[in-house]
Amino acid sequence: MSSDDRGIAAMQPGDAWPGGGYVELAVIKVDDAFLMRRLRQSLLTGSEPGMGAWRSLGMRLPSGAVVELIAYDAEPDAGFTVRIDNQSDPRIALQEIISALGLGAEQIIWSNIN
């Protein structure tokens, strides 16, 4: 796994969550083209029973936090859900995602950080 000049490394399909699971950190209002341009990687696609088709990408942030951004086709205007490894610091991870993507406050639809 190699990282880009920002220290972000693409995760590969099937890579495990280091902590054994994830938590949903936020929902961001961005589209596929925005993510692919900012993160310099293609989205993966697949289908999940009960949820339908999805688009996703995974990355390891400079802090080491593992992140997945996922959107389901059944909810086209819902944005991308940001999932992080359950052992990552959510505040640090959210700040790294905001910085890496160049997000504005209006693009963060929901966050579980108080």
Side-chain angles (χ1 to χ4, degrees), residues 26-107:
V27 176
I28 57 175
K29 185 69 172 171
V30 296
D31 63 19
D32 297 9
F34 176 90
L35 285 180
M36 290 187 294
R37 185 174 58 252
R38 293 292 174 107
L39 296 173
R40 304 176 196 141
Q41 57 180 298
S42 297
L43 296 175
L44 300 173
T45 59
S47 185
E48 185 176 331
M51 296 296 288
W54 52 261
R55 303 165 327 280
S56 175
L57 58 81
M59 62 189 153
R60 183 177 304 273
L61 299 172
S63 67
V66 173
V67 176
E68 177 185 46
L69 305 174
I70 188 166
Y72 291 93
D73 292 355
E75 300 175 329
D77 296 323
F80 277 78
T81 298
V82 179
R83 297 173 175 168
I84 63 169
D85 184 72
N86 61 12
Q87 293 184 349
S88 296
D89 182 308
R91 291 186 189 281
I92 292 172
L94 185 58
Q95 285 305 311
E96 284 184 310
I97 292 162
I98 289 169
S99 177
L101 295 177
L103 297 176
E106 72 282 358
Q107 291 172 293

